[in-house]
Amino acid sequence: MRLLIIEDNPDIAANLADYLKARDHVVDLAGDGLWGLHFALNNEYDAIVLDLMLPGMDGLALCRKLRGEGRETPVLMLTARDSLDDKILGLEAGADDYVLKPFALREVEARLRTIARRALSHGHTQKLGVGDLSYDLATYQVSRGGRQITLPPIPLRLLEQLMRASPRVVSRAELEAAVWGDTPPDSDALKAHLHVLRGAIDKPFETPLLHTIRGIGYQLMAPHA
């Protein structure tokens, strides 16, 4: 893979770059947000490693700018902030996934491979529907009540699993396996991505579709289904 690391800590950046290069990846480095954005907008990458706290432009602003320019390069955010609110902010800014500092280099590579592979995968010519919510798997277009909805890749994957299963309740373990496979995330990751999903498909609308079934899992169900 061709990767961009945007990290202002030289030791962390060097460790990441050395490890990834040893695994046969091509790596570019940027030490601040402005240079990182320049690299990201002017080159093609399979994935970007993005630190949250950066000089010049922080990771959240950079990610929003990148998505605002129409660039869909997968972004793995690095953060030392482990609160659920901070994780949600990153995902809502357009990050595809995140890892907490300190992290294992092996985990970073595994997550980069996962988000890059997901971005390259082709959807089937199939549409899913639950109530007035629809998802075109070929174009990745989601809409509810005729209103277009934009979602990052992981909430999209969760939405697909929940729509395929609807109205069955899907367990937490099943959702985590569908998205992360053999590299399960920290305990807040699924909750954070589901928060983003719920905010997009339910919050602007009168009737909620996504339900938490305590102690069991999650259910996407239309009223009177």
Side-chain angles (χ1 to χ4, degrees):
M1 294 188 293
R2 186 180 183 188
L3 304 169
L4 172 62
I5 298 173
I6 309 174
E7 167 62 67
D8 66 318
N9 184 307
D11 293 331
I12 294 176
N15 285 339
L16 273 170
D18 289 347
Y19 179 83
L20 292 168
K21 287 177 181 178
R23 306 281 290 178
D24 297 323
H25 302 295
V26 177
V27 179
D28 288 340
L29 290 171
D32 64 60
L34 294 176
W35 271 110
L37 181 63
H38 174 79
F39 275 108
L41 291 177
N42 289 281
N43 299 284
E44 294 294 330
Y45 296 101
D46 295 297
I48 296 171
V49 180
L50 177 62
D51 187 30
L52 183 62
M53 302 298 294
L54 291 167
M57 176 184 290
D58 67 39
L60 293 177
L62 192 158
C63 200
R64 291 191 190 102
K65 180 67 174 175
L66 196 63
R67 298 306 187 222
E69 294 289 333
R71 302 302 293 267
E72 298 300 326
T73 310
V75 172
L76 179 69
M77 189 165 280
L78 306 180
T79 178
R81 302 174 177 176
D82 62 357
S83 78
L84 180 58
D85 287 343
D86 287 322
K87 296 167 186 175
I88 289 170
L89 281 175
L91 299 173
E92 289 181 335
D96 299 275
D97 202 357
Y98 63 84
V99 291
L100 296 177
K101 295 180 178 180
F103 49 77
L105 294 170
R106 182 179 176 187
E107 179 185 6
V108 171
E109 189 200 17
R111 294 201 180 283
L112 287 169
R113 288 187 182 279
T114 297
I115 62 175
R117 184 169 59 247
R118 189 180 299 119
L120 289 173
S121 66
H122 298 288
H124 305 291
T125 54
Q126 181 181 359
K127 291 184 179 180
L128 302 174
V130 175
D132 59 351
L133 178 69
S134 65
Y135 178 18
D136 188 326
L137 296 172
T139 63
Y140 301 104
Q141 290 186 336
V142 178
S143 64
R144 182 171 180 190
R147 185 188 305 182
Q148 293 295 313
I149 295 171
T150 301
L151 284 168
I154 289 181
L156 266 179
R157 182 63 175 154
L158 291 170
L159 178 62
E160 179 182 346
Q161 295 300 309
L162 289 162
M163 292 185 81
R164 287 186 183 278
S166 179
R168 179 175 66 85
V169 177
V170 185
S171 71
R172 179 189 182 95
E174 187 177 346
L175 287 174
E176 289 178 343
V179 174
W180 292 284
D182 294 331
T183 56
D186 68 85
S187 60
D188 280 338
L190 181 63
K191 187 185 298 184
H193 286 291
L194 285 167
H195 180 92
V196 173
L197 176 60
R198 180 177 274 119
I201 67 170
D202 276 350
K203 191 173 182 180
F205 303 93
E206 182 178 349
T207 305
L209 297 176
L210 180 56
H211 307 279
T212 300
I213 311 301
R214 293 192 178 277
I216 302 176
Y218 301 89
Q219 178 186 43
L220 194 71
M221 185 176 69
H224 313 302

